[in-house]
C-alpha cells in the first residue's frame, strides 16, 4: 500500500477542466463569428436589393417629374395606347399629324404604369403607385402599403420588407410620393397642395439571384470558419497532449523523489522517515480504536563480522536477503523498515495479545538463523529483537522506539538470537548505563581509578611469579563500582581506550617501583578489551609504551579474549605478530567460554591460556569439568602454550590442578586482588618462599 502524491491527480482534473473550458470557449467564439458573418451576409444582400429598388424608384421619380412638367406625351394610337376617357375634357387630346397619323395624349400616370409593366416583364422588377385616395381602384393600397402610407404621414421616408409574390421571394420597398405643381393638373379636385404626401411608389425587386449568391457566400463562410475551428481544435489537442505529458513527467519525478525520501535504496524497505510516519499513523488509529500496536526492533548479530570479513558487497547481499525474509514473516498490513546499518523494525498494528507478537518474533529469529548463501559461502547470522507494545510501553513513537532499542540491548546481553519484551526495569538499567557513561567521562578527568594486583603463583614450586592488574573505580557518588559493571559501558562508549591507556601506564609505573625495591616479578598481566585491541592507534601506542618502559619487555602479558579473533578484517594475526615482535606476550583470557575454536590457538601467535574460573570452580565436584580442564591443559601443552587456572579458591582445586600439570594458578586461595601497598608488602613477605603447600 504505497501511497503517492494526490497532487498530480488534482492537477490532472484541473487540466481537464481547463481544456474543456478552452474547447467550449473556442467553439462558442467560432459559432458567434459564424452567426455574425451570416447575418452580415444577409444584411449586405438586403442592402444590395434595396439599392436596386431605390435606383428604380429614383428612375420612376425622374420619369414622373419629367412627365408632369411636360404635361403628358402624345403617342400614336395603338391597342395599348387608346385615347384616355379621363382626358376627355382636354380639347386637344387627339391630334392628327400632317401626314395623317392619329396621336393621342397619354396621361403620365398611365404611361408610367405601362413602363413599369414592361420593366416587370423584362427584369422582374415591379413598380406600383398607391394612394389612400386613389383615382384608379387598382391603385388602392394593401395592408402593408396602408401601414407604410400612414408611417409616411408621420414623417417616415421609406419602408421595405421581404415578401413572397406569386410564390417567388421579393424585396418590396415603398417611398412617399409628394405632390408636385404638375400633379395638381389631374389631382387638384382631391384637395392636395404642393408638398402633400399623396401616396407611395412601391418597387419590388426579385430576390432569387441575391439569395442564390448569398447562399454560396454563406456556404463558403461556414466552410472557412469550420476549417478554422478544426485548426483551433487540433492546437488545443496538441496543447492537451503536451500538458498531460508534462504532468506525467512531473509525476514520475515526484514519485522518484518520494521513493528516495521514503524507501531504503538497498532493500526497498521503508526507511526511517516512512517508518516514523507509519508508526504515528498506527498509534493514532490504535488510540481511536482502543487497540494495541507492537514494535519490534531487530538487530542482526555478528553482522559487522560478515561485513568486515566478507566485504561490503556481501554484507549488502546479506541485508537484502534478511529484508526479504523479514517480509515473509509478517502480514500485508505490517510495516517492515530498515533504519540503517543492520537495524530493522517491524510495526504490527492492531494486535490483541502479546502471544501473537512473540510468535512473529520467534518466526523472525527462525528465518534469520537459517544459513545465508553468500559469495558461494554459507554464512550464519542471527538476530536480537526488542519488543515494545503501545500503549503500555510508551505513548509516542520516539518513546516506543527507544524502549524497543533498550529491550533489544537486553536480548543481546542475554546471549543474542533471542527476543525480549521491554520492561520498565530494563529502562532503569538503560538509564543507568547512560548516566554511568557520563560519570566515567568524569572519572577519567578526576582520576578516580586505581589498580589492584592479584598474585599469580607457579604451581610447580608454589612461588609468586607475577600478578594480574585489575582496575578499580572509587566513585565519590557511587562508591566502589565493579569492573563487570562499568567495563561494558566503557567499551560501548569508546571510553575504554583512554581508560585502558591509563591502566597500562600505571601498571608500568608500579612494576618499576617493585623492580627498584628488588622485588622479583617475572610477569605482569594486564587486561585489554577487544574494543581497545582493535582500536586504530593501539599498535603504535604499545610501541611507544615499550620504548619508554624497557623494563616491560618480555614481562608484559596482554590478556585478550577470543572475540579478538572474530574480526578478521582487523587482521588479529598480524597485530599479534607485531606485538610479539615488540616483546609483548599474549594470554587468552576466559578460555572455554567464548567461541572456543581450538583452531585459533594454532593459527594465532599466543603464549598462554587462562582457564575460566567457571570450569575451575567445579573441577572437584563435576567430573565433566574436571575432564575438560585436563583436556585443555594437555592440548595447550601439546601446542607449546602455558596454562593459568583462575579462580582457585580451595586446597582441593589446587591439588587437582597440580596433578593435572597446570602451570600457574590465581585465586582467593592465595590472595584477593590487593592494593599496590598491600601487594608490595605481600611480595616482600613471600620473597623466595612458597605461598602454599
Ligand atoms: P578477569 O580478567 O577474568 O579477572 C578475574 C576476575 O576474577 C577479577 O574480578 C578477580 O577479582 C576475580 N577473582 C580472582 N580470584 C578469584 C577467586 O578465587 N574467586 C572468584 N570468585 N573471583 C576471583 P574483577 O577484578 O572484578 O574483574 C572483573 C573483570 O573485569 C575481569 O575479569 C576483566 O575482564 C575486567 N577487568 C578488570 N580490570 C580490567 C582492566 O584493567 N581492563 C579491562 N579491559 N578489563 C578489566
Ligand atoms: Ca583477566
Ligand atoms: Ca578471566
Amino acid at each position: 500500500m504505497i501511497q503517492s502524491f494526490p497532487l498530480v491527480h488534482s492537477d490532472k482534473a484541473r487540466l481537464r477542466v481547463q481544456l474543456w473550458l478552452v474547447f467550449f470557449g473556442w467553439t462558442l467564439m467560432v459559432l458567434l463569428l459564424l452567426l455574425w458573418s451570416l447575418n452580415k451576409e444577409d444584411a449586405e444582400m438586403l442592402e444590395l436589393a434595396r439599392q436596386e429598388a431605390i435606383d428604380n424608384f429614383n428612375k420612376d421619380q425622374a420619369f414622373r417629374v419629367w412627365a408632369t412638367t411636360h404635361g403628358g406625351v402624345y403617342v400614336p394610337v395603338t391597342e395599348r395606347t387608346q385615347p384616355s376617357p379621363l382626358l376627355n375634357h382636354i380639347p386637344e387630346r387627339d391630334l392628327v399629324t400632317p401626314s395623317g397619323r392619329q396621336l393621342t395624349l397619354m396621361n403620365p400616370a398611365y404611361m408610367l404604369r405601362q413602363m413599369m409593366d414592361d420593366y416587370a416583364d423584362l427584369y422582374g422588377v415591379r413598380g406600383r403607385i398607391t394612394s389612400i385616395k386613389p383615382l384608379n381602384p387598382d391603385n388602392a393600397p394593401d395592408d402593408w402599403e396602408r401601414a407604410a402610407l400612414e408611417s409616411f404621414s408621420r414623417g417616415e421616408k421609406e419602408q421595405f420588407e421581404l415578401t413572397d409574390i406569386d410564390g417567388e421571394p421579393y424585396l418590396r420597398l415603398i417611398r412617399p410620393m409628394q405632390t408636385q405643381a404638375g400633379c395638381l393638373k389631374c389631382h387638384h379636385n382631391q384637395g392636395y397642395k404642393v408638398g402633400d404626401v399623396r401616396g407611395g411608389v412601391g418597387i419590388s425587386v426579385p430576390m432569387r439571384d441575391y439569395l442564390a449568391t448569398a447562399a454560396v457566400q454563406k456556404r463558403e463562410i461556414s466552410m472557412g470558419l469550420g476549417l478554422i475551428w478544426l485548426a483551433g481544435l487540433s492546437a488545443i489537442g496538441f496543447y492537451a497532449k503536451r500538458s498531460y505529458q508534462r504532468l506525467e513527467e512531473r509525476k514520475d519525478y515526484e514519485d522518484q523523489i518520494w521513493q528516495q525520501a521514503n524507501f531504503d535504496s538497498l532493500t526497498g524497505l521503508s526507511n526511517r522517515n516512512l517508518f516514523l510516519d507509519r508508526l504515528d499513523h498506527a498509534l493514532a488509529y490504535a488510540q481511536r480504536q482502543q487497540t494495541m500496536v507492537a514494535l519490534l526492533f531487530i538487530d542482526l548479530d555478528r553482522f559487522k563480522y560478515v561485513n568486515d570479513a566478507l566485504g561490503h558487497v556481501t554484507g549488502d547481499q546479506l541485508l537484502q536477503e534478511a529484508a526479504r525474509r523479514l517480509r515473509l514473516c509478517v502480514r500485508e498490513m505490517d510495516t517492515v523498515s530498515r533504519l540503517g546499518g543492520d537495524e530493522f523494525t517491524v510495526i504490527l498494528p492492531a494486535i490483541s495479545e502479546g502471544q501473537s507478537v512473540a510468535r512473529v518474533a520467534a518466526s523472525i529469529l527462525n528465518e534469520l538463523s537459517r544459513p545465508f548463501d553468500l559469495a558461494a559461502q554459507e554464512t550464519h547470522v542471527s538476530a536480537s529483537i526488542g519488543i515494545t507494545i503501545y500503549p503500555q510501553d510508551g505513548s509516542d513513537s520516539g518513546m516506543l522506539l527507544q524502549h524497543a532499542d533498550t529491550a533489544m540491548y537486553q536480548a543481546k546481553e542475554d546471549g543474542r538470537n533471542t527476543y525480549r519484551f521491554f520492561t520498565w526495569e530494563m529502562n532503569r538499567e538503560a538509564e543507568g548505563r547512560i548516566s554511568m557513561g557520563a560519570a566515567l567521562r568524569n572519572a577519567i578527568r578526576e582520576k578516580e581509578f586505581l589498580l589492584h594486583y592479584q598474585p599469580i603463583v607457579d604451581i610447580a614450586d608454589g612461588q609468586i611469579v607475577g600478578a594480574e592488574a585489575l582496575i578499580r573505580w572509587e566513585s565519590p557518588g557511587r562508591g566502589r563500582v565493579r569492573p563487570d559493571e562499568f567495563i561494558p559501558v566503557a567499551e560501548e562508549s569508546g571510553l575504554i581506550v583512554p581508560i585502558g591507556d591509563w591502566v597500562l601506564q600505571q601498571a608500568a609505573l608500579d612494576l618499576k617501583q617493585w623492580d627498584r625495591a628488588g622485588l622479583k616479578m617475572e610477569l605482569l598481566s594486564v587486561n585489554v578489551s577487544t574494543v581497545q585491541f582493535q582500536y586504530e592507534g593501539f599498535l603504535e601506542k604499545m610501541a611507544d609504551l615499550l620504548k619508554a618502559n624497557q623494563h616491560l619487555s618480555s614481562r608484559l602479558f596482554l590478556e585478550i579474549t577470543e572475540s579478538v579473533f572474530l574480526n578478521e578484517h582487523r587482521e588479529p594475526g598480524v597485530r599479534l605478530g607485531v606485538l610479539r615482535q615488540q616483546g609483548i606476550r599474549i594470554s587468552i583470557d576466559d578460555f572455554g567460554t567464548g567461541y572456543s575454536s581450538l583452531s585459533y590457538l594454532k593459527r594465532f601467535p599466543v603464549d598462554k591460556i587462562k582457564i575460566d574460573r567457571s570450569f575451575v570452580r567445579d573441577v572437584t565436584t563435576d567430573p565433566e569439568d574436571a575432564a575438560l580442564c585436563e583436556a585443555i591443559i594437555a592440548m595447550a601443552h601439546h601446542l607449546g602454550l602455558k596454562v593459568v587456572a583462575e579462580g582457585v579458591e580451595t586446597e582441593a582445586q589446587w591439588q587437582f590442578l597440580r596433578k593435572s600439570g597446570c602451570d600457574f594458578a590465581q585465586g582467593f586461595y592465595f590472595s584477593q586482588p590487593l592494593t599496590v601497598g598491600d601487594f608490595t608488602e605481600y611480595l616482600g613477605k613471600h620473597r623466595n618462599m612458597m605461598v602454599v603447600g
Side-chain angles (χ1 to χ4, degrees):
M1 44 169 198
I2 293 172
Q3 61 196 61
S4 185
F5 288 113
L7 205 100
V8 170
H9 297 302
S10 74
D11 278 1
K12 267 192 180 165
R14 200 179 312 141
L15 179 64
R16 208 171 301 132
V17 170
Q18 217 176 38
L19 288 171
W20 275 116
L21 281 179
V22 171
F23 169 77
F24 283 127
W26 171 244
T27 305
L28 189 69
M29 207 179 88
V30 173
L31 274 178
L32 287 176
L33 193 63
L34 181 68
L35 280 179
W36 179 78
S37 304
L38 294 181
N39 258 333
K40 191 160 166 274
E41 191 55 38
D42 278 341
E44 270 171 14
M45 173 198 72
L46 213 57
E47 182 57 25
L48 282 177
R50 180 175 158 260
Q51 280 304 334
E52 191 185 344
I54 289 170
D55 284 353
N56 280 299
F57 172 85
N58 288 344
K59 249 178 246 167
D60 178 276
Q61 288 295 299
F63 289 154
R64 220 172 276 276
V65 167
W66 187 90
T68 47
T69 18
H70 298 283
V73 176
Y74 283 92
V75 295
V77 177
T78 64
E79 204 181 327
R80 275 186 86 197
T81 51
Q82 289 293 311
S84 165
L86 289 173
L87 303 180
N88 267 343
H89 58 285
I90 297 174
E92 60 273 37
R93 184 189 78 176
D94 298 300
L95 292 179
V96 177
T97 61
S99 62
R101 284 185 73 184
Q102 185 82 36
L103 297 179
T104 186
L105 184 64
M106 221 176 162
N107 145 351
Y110 192 57
M111 179 191 82
L112 280 167
R113 187 175 317 131
Q114 282 201 356
M115 282 171 77
M116 278 178 181
D117 286 349
D118 289 353
Y119 199 66
D121 289 347
L122 281 170
Y123 305 112
V125 178
R126 298 166 191 231
R128 178 178 137 79
I129 57 170
T130 182
S131 173
I132 298 170
K133 294 181 271 181
L135 290 179
N136 182 340
D138 281 353
N139 290 347
D142 61 21
D143 289 346
W144 182 76
E145 285 167 332
R146 187 182 308 281
L149 290 176
E150 275 163 14
S151 81
F152 295 154
S153 59
R154 291 194 303 271
E156 296 279 339
K157 294 279 176 266
E158 178 184 306
Q159 294 293 341
F160 67 90
E161 65 157 3
L162 279 175
T163 184
D164 262 20
I165 300 177
D166 302 333
E168 287 287 318
Y170 271 86
L171 174 102
R172 179 147 78 134
L173 178 134
I174 187 165
R175 284 191 162 192
M177 185 166 66
Q178 270 164 343
T179 309
Q180 315 271 319
C183 301
L184 295 176
K185 281 183 207 157
C186 300
H187 297 280
H188 63 279
N189 47 3
Q190 286 178 293
Y192 292 119
K193 299 186 299 294
V194 171
D196 281 352
V197 174
R198 214 171 72 242
V201 178
I203 307 285
S204 298
V205 177
M207 289 298 291
R208 181 187 282 277
D209 287 350
Y210 286 107
L211 287 175
T213 312
V216 170
Q217 299 257 14
K218 280 177 175 179
R219 202 162 45 237
E220 278 170 6
I221 287 172
S222 303
M223 273 167 65
L225 279 176
L227 283 178
I228 289 174
W229 181 68
L230 284 177
L233 277 199
S234 61
I236 293 171
F238 179 73
Y239 170 76
K241 206 177 140 198
R242 280 291 302 276
S243 302
Y244 272 109
Q245 244 169 19
R246 228 173 277 150
L247 265 189
E248 282 301 322
E249 277 167 20
R250 209 179 83 198
K251 184 178 143 47
D252 284 353
Y253 179 68
E254 281 170 352
D255 277 356
Q256 203 183 329
I257 298 270
W258 192 77
Q259 187 78 18
Q260 279 168 6
N262 291 288
F263 289 90
D264 171 43
S265 57
L266 179 67
T267 61
L269 296 177
S270 42
N271 64 10
R272 178 180 286 270
N273 217 10
L274 187 56
F275 157 72
L276 287 174
D277 194 52
R278 293 269 167 89
L279 185 55
D280 284 339
H281 273 112
L283 296 185
Y285 181 81
Q287 192 180 25
R288 281 196 304 276
Q289 304 290 317
Q290 300 284 308
T291 56
M292 299 193 286
V293 177
L295 172 61
L296 276 62
F297 192 103
I298 303 157
D299 189 286
L300 299 184
D301 304 323
R302 297 207 330 134
F303 172 72
K304 206 175 132 36
Y305 162 72
V306 174
N307 218 23
D308 289 350
L310 304 180
H312 289 271
V313 176
T314 311
D316 284 354
Q317 284 171 358
L318 190 143
L319 289 174
Q320 283 168 335
E321 173 62 12
R324 197 187 65 80
R325 292 187 191 178
L326 278 174
R327 261 190 295 228
L328 291 180
C329 297
V330 300
R331 303 164 296 178
E332 182 69 24
M333 64 194 293
D334 303 330
T335 304
V336 181
S337 315
R338 178 176 173 229
L339 298 196
D342 58 346
E343 290 176 353
F344 297 88
T345 54
V346 173
I347 303 169
L348 304 174
I351 49 148
S352 51
E353 31 118 38
Q355 203 63 35
S356 56
V357 183
R359 267 199 302 278
V360 173
S363 88
I364 288 175
L365 290 180
N366 190 37
E367 271 298 317
L368 292 180
S369 57
R370 283 194 297 112
F372 287 76
D373 240 340
L374 302 171
Q377 179 179 345
E378 248 191 25
T379 307
H380 290 264
V381 293
S382 54
S384 300
I385 305 178
I387 304 169
T388 38
I389 309 273
Y390 171 88
Q392 70 202 42
D393 297 334
S395 53
D396 59 55
S397 52
M399 202 174 187
L400 285 170
L401 188 60
Q402 193 193 325
H403 288 170
D405 184 40
T406 301
M408 187 278 292
Y409 186 90
Q410 190 63 49
K412 292 242 184 227
E413 286 276 284
D414 294 351
R416 299 157 199 265
N417 194 21
T418 185
Y419 62 85
R420 287 289 176 269
F421 281 89
F422 170 79
T423 64
W424 289 94
E425 176 60 30
M426 280 178 198
N427 196 44
R428 274 187 288 282
E429 280 171 24
E431 280 170 4
R433 274 196 300 276
I434 291 167
S435 74
M436 182 179 282
L440 272 178
R441 226 172 280 273
N442 195 52
I444 296 170
R445 234 178 305 131
E446 302 296 327
K447 300 192 167 54
E448 293 169 8
F449 300 109
L450 55 137
L451 288 181
H452 279 192
Y453 291 92
Q454 185 175 41
I456 299 172
V457 177
D458 188 336
I459 294 182
D461 59 10
Q463 302 254 335
I464 298 167
V465 289
E468 176 181 3
L470 294 158
I471 195 169
R472 297 291 176 259
W473 177 19
E474 300 284 355
S475 163
R478 296 160 187 262
R480 175 168 294 185
V481 188
R482 295 202 344 265
D484 289 335
E485 279 176 65
F486 72 83
I487 294 289
V489 179
E491 285 178 334
E492 209 177 306
S493 57
L495 291 173
I496 192 67
V497 172
I499 293 174
D501 286 348
W502 176 84
V503 171
L504 284 162
Q505 296 287 349
Q506 189 58 45
L509 279 178
D510 292 341
L511 183 63
K512 192 168 267 172
Q513 294 300 320
W514 295 318
D515 283 351
R516 287 212 179 113
L519 298 168
K520 192 185 101 199
M521 285 278 282
E522 274 174 39
L523 58 91
L524 179 64
S525 255
V526 174
N527 293 286
V528 171
S529 129
T530 299
V531 178
Q532 189 186 352
F533 180 84
Q534 287 172 348
Y535 155 70
E536 207 57 57
F538 182 68
L539 290 183
E540 279 126 72
K541 215 165 253 171
M542 291 309 294
D544 290 349
L545 181 80
L546 265 286
K547 214 155 57 197
N549 299 277
Q550 304 273 330
H551 65 292
L552 289 179
S553 188
S554 72
R555 289 201 286 171
L556 177 63
F557 275 76
L558 298 186
E559 296 195 1
I560 59 175
T561 58
E562 286 158 292
S563 61
V564 160
F565 303 125
L566 291 177
N567 192 339
E568 306 223 8
H569 180 66
R570 283 273 172 227
E571 297 176 318
V574 176
R575 296 196 143 222
L576 292 174
V578 172
L579 291 171
R580 266 280 197 75
Q581 271 173 6
Q582 293 169 355
I584 293 166
R585 310 284 188 83
I586 306 296
S587 283
I588 308 295
D589 208 353
D590 305 338
F591 191 82
T593 58
Y595 304 92
S596 292
S597 168
L598 296 177
S599 71
Y600 293 144
L601 299 181
K602 231 177 82 185
R603 273 170 59 205
F604 298 113
V606 299
D607 302 277
K608 244 193 224 174
I609 58 173
K610 293 186 83 168
I611 302 178
D612 191 66
R613 64 172 186 273
S614 58
F615 298 105
V616 175
R617 188 180 58 216
D618 300 329
V619 283
T620 53
T621 52
D622 184 342
E624 256 176 51
D625 273 356
L628 205 65
C629 261
E630 284 172 330
I632 291 173
I633 293 164
M635 179 212 52
H637 285 167
H638 190 72
L639 290 169
L641 308 176
K642 297 284 187 200
V643 182
V644 188
E646 63 177 9
V648 181
E649 294 183 357
T650 64
E651 163 83 32
Q653 288 165 342
W654 162 253
Q655 294 300 346
F656 172 85
L657 291 165
R658 195 151 67 165
K659 267 211 322 282
S660 308
C662 188
D663 303 290
F664 305 101
Q666 214 183 319
F668 297 166
Y669 180 53
F670 318 106
S671 168
Q672 298 263 345
L674 303 168
T675 61
V676 180
D678 289 349
F679 185 73
T680 310
E681 207 175 291
Y682 183 87
L683 266 184
K685 218 164 81 191
H686 292 93
R687 202 194 299 224
N688 300 323
M689 192 181 123
M690 278 176 69
V691 191
V692 287

